[in-house]
Amino acid sequence: MEFKPTIGLEVHAELKTKTKMFCDCLNNPEEKIANTNICPICLAHPGTLPVINKKALGQVITVGLALNSEIPEYSKFDRKNYFYPDLPKGYQISQYDMPLCKGGELSLFLSNDLEEAKEKIEITRVHLEEDTGKLIHAANGESTLIDFNRAGVPLMELVTEPVIHSGKEARLFAQGLQLLLRILGVSEANMDRGQMRCEVNISLSKDKKLGTKVEIKNLNSFRVVEKSIDFEIQRQTEVLEKGEKVIQETRGWDAGKEITYSQRLKEEAKDYRYFPEPDLPRLHIHPKEESDGLFNLEEIEKQTPELPWKKKERVMELCSFSENANLLIQDEKLMNFFEEVIKKFNDIDIKNKEKIINLTFNYLASDLKGLMESGSIVWGQLKITPQSFSKLIFLLFNDKISSRAGKDVLAEMVKEGGDPEEIIKSKGLEKISDGSQLDPIVSEIIKNNPKIAEDYKKGKENVLQFLIGQAMAKTRGAADPKSLEKLFKKQLS
Ligand SMILES: [Zn+2]
């Protein structure tokens, strides 16, 4: 019997507020000059008092509602006591037994596999706390400097139940959460900038009793989340198969060697001596009766943008590829452009509609995006409009131009704007299927390639594609390949 891995995730995300969690210092994670956004409150001078940032509370509640969490009527902050040089107070204001959000779930909706995408990962809680400062260790190892710009920045913490079973599932969960946080506008959630941080705990066992738990910390990309878990499953399996015991410890990820390594052995569960923060009031989050409570949950839900998994469902009704839908819901500008374009195809009957929508998607996601990237063009600078783009797609769909000519027209439209029909006329790119126009071209290609023409006559049918390609090049992609095929076959028979 195989060992079954059980994985739980702990995700921290820095919230996007104007000011810090308990003072009015700027919340600016990009600040380059150390110790600029600081004040006596976030430096924990004696006698200072914290004031709660209501915006941050609202953001965590928005996340909780999106995740289907229970939002308890009352909440409070607690002190988590521990000493570390980047923590000026000697304790962190966090939440212990009355978090803002309890329970909830997030599906693996970004999976390309539609069955896996339905799988739901249960969430234990989502709460609010403050971030710590940053330690900067000198390269010579002789000194450490502290930057308190980040101290007191609002930090959301989400904990999942131990219900994840692979590195891929953990990655999909984290990717889905990142997209949600971005769509809700509560965090930039860039993992490489530390705006979103993942910790993993993982154990292996053969029965229902959980095995010894190992933590992996400081995972700074989705790839590393997946790889480190898969590595750890492999490592622990080997330890257990040898009849040895897994040691309870915290491990880090060595990016160079792509392995986890032991950082420290776990002492007994840390006693943080949590107690209610005496300087902050207990919070009445939402009312049982009107006009009593900090937030109106119905109002928050009304103002919440379309959730990404709902958007995906909507896109999937239009185009049947999960990969395409994932690309669209992860790129807001592309999605908006796509939706504007396909609005123009409302009159087309359903079976054909799917074809034209997939055509639209392909020209948008590969051709248009490719041209934008190579020309360093951003959406705001784009000369092509959804209106003219839909016209071009319609011409391609109705076989008025070849796909090769379509790409030329698109390049022109991206650079100069303009109407696709006029560009086609001025460049002579209309599809030529007229035999009297194509016949002389076919004769010329046969004359210029006598050996290949001979091969075809001897039965090598696959050389026909080469001849058609030559004729296509000759007409700069304007010739209709089906007409060419017929004419070549006729002349070579
Ligand atoms: Zn401050």
Side-chain angles (χ1 to χ4, degrees), residues 127-141:
H127 74 241
L128 185 54
E129 57 189 33
E130 56 180 339
D131 210 346
T132 60
K134 261 185 202 166
L135 298 181
I136 298 138
H137 305 288
N140 61 13

Side-chain angles (χ1 to χ4, degrees), residues 23 25 38-39 42:
C23 61
C25 288
I38 53 171
C39 75
C42 53

Side-chain angles (χ1 to χ4, degrees), residues 181-230:
L181 296 177
R182 287 178 173 174
I183 285 178
L184 296 178
V186 303
S187 177
E188 294 294 332
N190 287 308
M191 285 189 77
D192 54 349
R193 290 191 208 154
Q195 293 160 337
M196 178 165 142
R197 300 162 222 159
C198 286
E199 282 168 35
V200 164
N201 59 69
I202 169 171
S203 65
L204 261 58
S205 90
K206 282 190 175 178
D207 46 40
K208 282 193 178 146
K209 208 171 138 250
L210 292 179
T212 308
K213 204 158 80 174
V214 170
E215 270 182 14
I216 325 174
K217 289 203 169 191
N218 302 324
L219 305 173
N220 59 4
S221 76
F222 296 122
R223 190 182 154 271
V224 167
V225 168
E226 181 168 357
K227 281 222 147 195
S228 63
I229 290 173
D230 290 343

Side-chain angles (χ1 to χ4, degrees), residues 20 22-26 37-43 148 151-152:
K20 290 187 180 180
F22 299 112
C23 61
D24 60 3
C25 288
L26 274 187
N37 300 320
I38 53 171
C39 75
I41 297 175
C42 53
L43 291 182
F148 285 115

Side-chain angles (χ1 to χ4, degrees), residues 118-395:
K118 280 189 220 152
E119 201 174 311
K120 286 182 170 150
I121 303 300
E122 287 169 69
I123 289 159
T124 314
R125 58 189 275 151
V126 189
H127 74 241
L128 185 54
E129 57 189 33
E130 56 180 339
D131 210 346
T132 60
K134 261 185 202 166
L135 298 181
I136 298 138
H137 305 288
N140 61 13
E142 283 176 6
S143 64
T144 294
L145 300 167
I146 310 182
D147 177 4
F148 285 115
N149 281 336
R150 202 178 70 175
V153 161
L155 197 63
M156 184 198 92
E157 180 179 322
L158 179 150
V159 183
T160 75
E161 291 289 299
V163 288
I164 297 169
H165 298 295
S166 71
K168 187 187 168 203
E169 282 183 7
R171 167 177 59 79
L172 286 168
F173 179 90
Q175 284 174 318
L177 181 66
Q178 180 193 56
L179 182 58
L180 176 69
L181 296 177
R182 287 178 173 174
I183 285 178
L184 296 178
V186 303
S187 177
E188 294 294 332
N190 287 308
M191 285 189 77
D192 54 349
R193 290 191 208 154
Q195 293 160 337
M196 178 165 142
R197 300 162 222 159
C198 286
E199 282 168 35
V200 164
N201 59 69
I202 169 171
S203 65
L204 261 58
S205 90
K206 282 190 175 178
D207 46 40
K208 282 193 178 146
K209 208 171 138 250
L210 292 179
T212 308
K213 204 158 80 174
V214 170
E215 270 182 14
I216 325 174
K217 289 203 169 191
N218 302 324
L219 305 173
N220 59 4
S221 76
F222 296 122
R223 190 182 154 271
V224 167
V225 168
E226 181 168 357
K227 281 222 147 195
S228 63
I229 290 173
D230 290 343
F231 176 85
E232 201 47 32
I233 292 173
Q234 186 63 31
R235 185 188 73 84
Q236 291 185 25
T237 303
E238 282 165 23
V239 169
L240 293 169
E241 275 173 355
K242 271 188 268 176
E244 293 169 8
K245 275 189 180 155
V246 171
I247 301 164
Q248 186 175 343
E249 61 183 344
T250 299
R251 299 177 74 88
W253 175 249
D254 184 324
K257 293 184 190 151
E258 303 220 308
I259 57 168
T260 65
Y261 62 94
S262 179
Q263 279 184 321
R264 58 172 185 268
L265 298 182
K266 192 90 179 175
E267 314 94 51
E268 303 104 68
K270 266 196 196 135
D271 186 359
Y272 290 115
R273 295 183 185 248
Y274 280 99
F275 64 83
E277 168 58 60
D279 291 338
L280 293 172
R282 192 167 87 133
L283 302 167
H284 191 196
I285 295 296
H286 59 94
K288 276 265 189 288
E289 287 156 40
E290 249 176 279
S291 73
D292 171 34
L294 287 165
F295 296 97
N296 180 335
L297 300 189
E298 276 172 29
E299 203 50 47
I300 293 178
E301 278 193 309
K302 241 189 258 167
Q303 285 166 12
T304 301
E306 186 179 27
L307 298 172
W309 47 91
K310 296 223 168 109
K311 199 179 272 189
K312 180 166 176 180
E313 271 174 29
R314 199 158 53 79
V315 176
M316 289 294 293
E317 277 175 22
L318 297 169
C319 69
S320 42
F321 301 109
S322 186
E323 288 92 333
N324 294 0
N326 285 337
L327 218 127
L328 285 169
I329 63 167
Q330 289 182 86
D331 187 336
E332 198 191 347
K333 302 241 165 71
L334 184 71
M335 176 82 183
N336 290 344
F337 197 93
F338 174 79
E339 289 200 294
E340 283 300 309
V341 173
I342 60 167
K343 261 188 214 159
K344 319 277 182 214
F345 305 140
N346 275 343
D347 300 335
I348 296 173
D349 79 72
I350 293 298
K351 194 168 156 265
N352 280 337
K353 199 166 181 174
E354 190 171 333
K355 195 175 156 201
I356 199 167
I357 284 169
N358 285 329
L359 190 66
T360 304
F361 178 83
N362 291 335
Y363 269 79
L364 262 180
S366 57
D367 298 283
L368 181 61
K369 280 208 90 177
L371 287 164
M372 287 171 76
E373 269 158 35
S374 63
S376 308
I377 302 164
V378 297
W379 286 99
Q381 302 167 321
L382 206 58
K383 293 223 168 106
I384 190 167
T385 62
Q387 173 75 29
S388 57
F389 188 86
S390 69
K391 253 183 155 176
L392 173 64
I393 297 297
F394 212 68
L395 291 164

Side-chain angles (χ1 to χ4, degrees), residues 383-385 388-389 391-392 395 400-401 404-431 476 478:
K383 293 223 168 106
I384 190 167
T385 62
S388 57
F389 188 86
K391 253 183 155 176
L392 173 64
L395 291 164
K400 299 285 186 220
I401 49 170
R404 153 97 196 262
K407 288 179 205 302
D408 288 349
V409 177
L410 183 65
E412 176 77 16
M413 288 166 79
V414 167
K415 239 199 288 172
E416 308 291 342
D419 180 80
E421 275 173 332
E422 281 166 24
I423 296 169
I424 290 162
K425 258 187 212 141
S426 73
K427 295 196 169 226
L429 290 170
E430 283 130 324
K431 209 175 225 182
R476 290 173 52 220

